[in-house]
Amino acid sequence: MSGLFITMEGGDGAGKSTQIENIKKYYEARGYECICTREPGGTPVGEMLRNVLLDAANTDMDDVTEMMIFAASRSQHVRELIKPALAEGKIVICDRFKDSSVAYQGVGRGLGDIVEMVNDVAVEGLVPDITFWMDLDPETGRARVEKNGEPDRMESEKLDFHSRVYEGYRGLQEKYPERIKRIDATKSIEEIKEDIYAELDKLTDR
Ligand code: TYD
């Protein structure tokens, strides 16, 4: 039996981690084994690449270099962890995946279609069964991030970058409405959980 691949997307500060825990609880209560993982990272090689990507000292990183390192982390993740876990029938819940690269590098950095091409090599045909987009306006997201101490290299980007990323997600959701479910991230944690559980119920019935 093949498992389920669930991804969480959204701008910084949208509250993804809390809801990842809730999704895990949903499936564990039903007897499934879950793996929670993240990008960039998720494997030893990927975590090293993550440090390079997020280190605020790397101010001179080129945009294409950045896109390729995110894709390299993803390629390792897909082959070493995600695909084998799915083949064993596990539920894999991933904090960010290819949609992040399309929104941040494709639209945010303005690299366009090459992001899709490079990432298609990285993901080897793997598409999430369902993706939750935590929809939060960039100003509010930023205010939440600022309360959490030192920003990383991506968080330090100006508001107009984050506004483009937001538009990137909006475009993705319009393009793939069946897969990408918009979640109103201004609601309370409990309400968001209920919205997500309703979608998971539908997915199980499918
Ligand atoms: P992280 O600390 O995981 O942020 P968050 O808690 O918001 O998920 O850092 C990941 C950062 O990297 C985040 O700002 C989004 C960015 N990112 C990309 O630009 N492209 C990508 O492909 C991925 C996976 C993340």
Side-chain angles (χ1 to χ4, degrees):
M1 187 198 88
S2 174
L4 268 186
F5 183 37
I6 301 173
T7 61
M8 267 290 178
E9 295 284 352
D12 302 343
K16 290 182 280 100
S17 349
T18 312
Q19 299 305 333
I20 285 174
E21 278 308 305
N22 283 332
I23 298 174
K24 181 168 181 261
K25 284 184 195 144
Y26 177 99
Y27 284 106
E28 284 182 348
R30 287 160 180 76
Y32 291 95
E33 194 176 330
C34 293
I35 293 185
C36 295
T37 184
R38 67 171 180 185
E39 291 199 347
T43 63
V45 168
E47 290 295 325
M48 291 182 90
L49 296 174
R50 178 185 175 90
N51 290 337
V52 175
L53 285 163
L54 299 186
D55 190 336
N58 287 333
T59 47
D60 49 4
M61 192 184 297
D62 172 74
D63 290 350
V64 175
T65 307
E66 174 188 283
M67 173 205 45
M68 287 182 156
I69 305 178
F70 276 115
S73 162
R74 181 160 303 127
S75 156
Q76 184 71 27
H77 200 200
V78 166
R79 289 163 178 81
E80 180 180 335
L81 190 139
I82 304 176
K83 282 197 169 178
L86 292 174
E88 288 169 12
K90 293 179 184 154
I91 310 275
V92 178
I93 311 162
C94 192
D95 188 345
R96 301 188 179 282
F97 194 60
K98 182 182 147 184
D99 296 320
S100 278
S101 282
V102 173
Y104 282 77
Q105 281 67 52
V107 185
R109 300 284 191 221
L111 292 177
D113 293 344
I114 55 163
V115 175
E116 190 88 33
M117 287 157 58
V118 168
N119 276 278
D120 282 345
V121 178
V123 304
E124 264 192 323
L126 180 66
V127 180
D129 293 287
I130 192 166
T131 298
F132 293 105
W133 168 41
M134 302 287 283
D135 178 0
L136 186 68
D137 71 89
E139 286 89 351
T140 313
R142 200 172 178 80
R144 289 193 193 170
V145 166
E146 276 167 3
K147 276 199 280 181
N148 296 339
E150 279 303 295
D152 64 40
R153 196 178 61 86
M154 301 302 292
E155 288 166 346
S156 309
E157 283 294 333
K158 297 196 175 56
L159 188 57
D160 64 299
F161 171 77
H162 291 284
S163 300
R164 286 196 299 277
V165 170
Y166 182 82
E167 290 309 316
Y169 277 124
R170 245 223 319 240
L172 277 165
Q173 204 273 328
E174 274 167 18
K175 196 169 169 191
Y176 306 108
E178 283 301 303
R179 171 175 67 86
I180 306 181
K181 307 296 176 192
R182 192 189 81 87
I183 299 293
D184 179 352
T186 62
K187 289 187 180 178
S188 73
I189 289 177
E190 199 54 35
E191 284 172 311
I192 295 175
K193 179 180 108 176
E194 293 308 323
D195 290 348
I196 290 178
Y197 280 15
E199 292 295 344
L200 296 178
D201 288 342
K202 280 194 245 167
L203 187 66
T204 317
D205 293 342
R206 234 161 45 191

